Every structure is written in structure tokens, then in C-alpha cells.
């Protein structure tokens, strides 16, 4: 799935991501400084989103205040989180020799203290750091700056499971509920 194809424009997708994950009630000039798009490109897509009935543009203030309509917020957020999750799954598939398992957590509405737990095998620190950077890049593409990710070796996970570690047991409980 390609969000740009679905929504028809990379600019439109960036505007929606910003409104979903960074903040609502932003002006077009502020969007221009936050996103790497020109004012005319942003205005064109804001007008299209307003015509589609997806956003509200409050024109009463000094500038224009752009917000997602409440009725659409959860539905659009679910689409973007689905694609975020698919991007992470695709990343993990490229490293399937090193990544044994992964678990999505609280950011994905699961009962887990962390946003993401990655259980690795056959990986050294430089490789893990590269995977961490790629995970951070994926989240930053969605304007999500702070992400809680735990990397744990397969051996450590097994050891902590045998010791009935609270965190590892929480992971096991959370996957049983899904």
C-alpha cells in the first residue's frame, strides 16, 4: 500500500501526518516552515482536503487554523497506523536473519509498556544500531519523535522468561490477547 497513491499527493499525506501526529490548529505558513513544501503546494492540498470535508479551516483568526474533523480523525489515524505498522513489518522482514520476533505495544493500542519490542538473534551492536536508526527514521516520517523500543537477545528473553520476569511475562500476556 502506498499512501501517496491512496491520497493522491505526498504533500497531502505529509499534511495529514502532521495533523495526526504532531499538532492540530496549525496555519499554512507554519506548515510551510515545518514541512518541506512550498506555500502554493500546501495551499492547494489544504483546499482539496477542505473540499473533501476532511479538515476544518478556521478563517476567523489572524491566520488560518487547520484541524482534522473529529469524525475523520480516528479513521484516518487507523489508516496511517496500519501503514506505519506495515513499514515496520517490512523492515523486520529485511532483517529476518537477525530478528527473531517483534511485538507492537502501547503506541499500537496493545497492553505493553513499550511501543515496540524486538527480539534479536545473530546480531552485533553495529547491526542493532543500524536497525534502530531505520526504526527511528520510519517513526520520524510520521512526525513521531519519541518512541520506546526495547531490543532483547533471544537468550536474554529465554533467561528472563525462566525467571518469570515481569516485563517478559507482560509481553507474553499481551500477545495472547491479540
Amino acid at each position: 500500500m502506498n499512501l501517496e497513491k491512496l491520497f493522491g499527493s505526498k504533500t497531502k499525506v505529509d499534511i495529514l501526518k502532521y495533523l495526526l501526529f504532531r499538532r492540530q490548529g496549525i496555519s499554512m505558513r507554519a506548515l510551510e516552515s515545518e514541512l518541506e513544501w512550498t506555500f502554493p503546494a500546501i495551499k492547494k492540498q489544504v483546499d482539496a482536503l477542505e473540499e473533501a470535508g476532511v479538515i476544518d479551516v478556521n478563517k476567523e483568526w489572524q491566520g488560518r487554523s487547520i484541524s482534522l474533523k473529529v469524525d475523520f480523525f480516528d479513521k484516518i489515524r487507523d489508516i496511517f497506523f496500519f501503514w506505519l505498522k506495515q513499514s515496520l513489518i517490512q523492515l523486520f522482514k529485511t532483517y529476518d536473519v537477525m530478528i527473531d520476533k517483534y511485538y507492537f505495544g502501547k503506541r499500537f493500542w496493545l497492553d505493553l509498556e513499550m511501543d515496540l519490542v524486538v527480539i534479536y538473534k545473530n546480531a552485533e551492536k553495529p547491526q542493532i544500531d543500524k536497525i534502530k536508526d531505520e526504526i527511528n527514521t520510519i517513526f520520524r516520517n510520521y512526525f513521531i519523535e519519541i518512541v520506546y523500543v526495547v531490543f532483547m537477545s533471544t537468550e536474554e528473553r529465554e533467561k528472563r522468561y525462566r525467571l518469570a520476569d515481569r516485563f517478559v511475562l507482560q509481553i507474553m500476556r499481551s500477545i495472547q490477547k491479540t
Side-chain angles (χ1 to χ4, degrees):
M1 179 177 178
N2 185 331
L3 287 172
E4 288 82 24
K5 295 290 183 188
L6 176 65
F7 289 101
S9 160
K10 174 100 174 87
T11 308
K12 191 180 295 180
V13 169
D14 284 349
I15 291 167
L16 290 170
K17 284 179 187 176
Y18 192 90
L19 293 172
L20 285 167
F21 301 112
R22 182 66 59 87
R23 73 172 206 196
Q24 299 271 336
I26 188 167
S27 70
M28 282 192 260
R29 288 288 177 201
L31 272 175
E32 178 185 21
S33 68
E34 291 284 327
L35 305 176
E36 296 178 6
W37 298 104
T38 63
F39 184 82
I42 291 170
K43 179 163 182 4
K44 178 181 177 185
Q45 297 308 322
V46 165
D47 290 345
L49 287 167
E50 185 179 25
E51 283 178 37
V54 175
I55 63 170
D56 283 322
V57 180
N58 185 349
K59 300 171 186 168
E60 295 175 15
W61 293 44
Q62 192 85 338
R64 293 179 173 206
S65 172
I66 305 164
S67 298
L68 276 169
K69 286 191 174 184
V70 176
D71 296 345
F72 286 99
F73 188 89
D74 289 341
K75 291 162 184 62
I76 292 174
R77 183 194 61 199
D78 290 347
I79 291 169
F80 279 82
F81 264 109
F82 174 79
W83 187 241
L84 170 63
K85 195 173 185 179
Q86 294 307 308
S87 298
L88 290 167
I89 290 169
Q90 192 62 41
L91 172 69
F92 297 147
K93 282 181 183 177
T94 58
Y95 293 104
D96 67 345
V97 173
M98 291 179 260
I99 295 176
D100 188 30
K101 296 176 183 167
Y102 50 89
Y103 305 99
F104 294 100
K106 68 180 176 183
R107 189 163 305 267
F108 299 92
W109 305 284
L110 296 174
D111 187 26
L112 193 57
E113 292 174 13
M114 298 293 136
D115 295 323
L116 190 60
V117 177
V118 179
I119 310 296
Y120 65 90
K121 59 184 179 187
N122 307 325
E124 300 296 323
K125 183 167 176 20
Q127 296 162 323
I128 293 169
D129 289 342
K130 184 174 191 271
I131 296 168
K132 286 179 183 178
D133 287 341
E134 291 183 43
I135 289 170
N136 282 331
T137 299
I138 289 170
F139 277 101
R140 270 190 244 110
N141 286 337
Y142 286 81
F143 299 102
I144 300 171
E145 298 293 328
I146 298 173
V147 182
Y148 298 101
V149 181
V150 171
F151 273 77
M152 185 184 309
S153 70
T154 306
E155 296 82 21
E156 181 184 356
R157 185 204 160 279
E158 292 301 319
K159 179 182 171 186
R160 290 173 71 171
Y161 181 73
R162 283 192 306 275
L163 294 171
D165 179 77
R166 183 180 66 84
F167 181 66
V168 172
L169 293 176
Q170 183 187 23
I171 293 171
M172 301 312 291
R173 278 192 302 274
S174 73
I175 61 171
Q176 288 175 350
K177 292 179 183 177
T178 58

